[in-house]
Amino acid sequence: MNWAFLSSVPERLLALVFLVCLLPTLLLIGFFLRSNPAQPVLLLDEVRAGGTTARSYRFRTTGRGSTAFRKFGRVLRTSGWDEFPALRSVVLGHIRLRKLLHLWRFP
């Protein structure tokens, strides 16, 4: 029996609940970021944890665009909201929720 998988089940379920609850907000953020059609909304990022590398998504918050776009991107980066699409990787079991909490500046 794979005990590592069983120990991550509650964590994955919690991430799924967060993702479902935050989905309307994430869609609004994606819609606003799509106002800059020259760049994609999501960026594929590599997260290193425990000697392994996992792929994770985050919102693209930098680049050319209007002043409002740059200000919105700065707010997303400082608040940590640009990392919330990475919950998908937690649900899939690629990274642990603890790693994301560290990225979001929780103790």
Side-chain angles (χ1 to χ4, degrees):
M1 180 169 271
N2 189 351
W3 295 107
F5 174 77
L6 289 178
S7 68
S8 69
V9 168
E11 187 173 275
R12 294 166 86 177
L13 288 175
L14 183 64
L16 182 63
V17 169
F18 282 154
L19 195 59
V20 169
C21 291
L22 294 173
L23 189 61
T25 305
L26 296 175
L27 289 174
L28 284 174
I29 291 171
F31 180 73
F32 185 76
L33 291 176
R34 193 64 207 161
S35 66
N36 185 7
Q39 296 181 350
V41 173
L42 294 174
L43 173 70
L44 185 61
D45 199 14
E46 289 187 356
V47 178
R48 291 182 179 83
T52 61
T53 302
R55 291 186 176 179
S56 171
Y57 288 98
R58 65 182 175 95
F59 284 121
R60 183 178 293 272
T61 55
T62 58
R64 297 185 188 106
S66 65
T67 305
F69 177 80
R70 289 194 304 266
K71 286 182 181 179
F72 185 67
R74 189 177 316 123
V75 168
L76 287 178
R77 282 189 308 277
T78 57
S79 65
W81 275 87
D82 63 331
E83 299 286 344
F84 274 99
L87 284 172
R88 175 190 170 273
S89 297
V90 176
V91 171
L92 294 175
H94 297 161
I95 59 175
R96 301 291 304 252
L97 188 59
R98 180 177 295 160
K99 177 65 179 170
L100 283 183
L101 292 177
H102 176 69
L103 290 174
W104 295 331
R105 300 171 197 90
F106 286 105

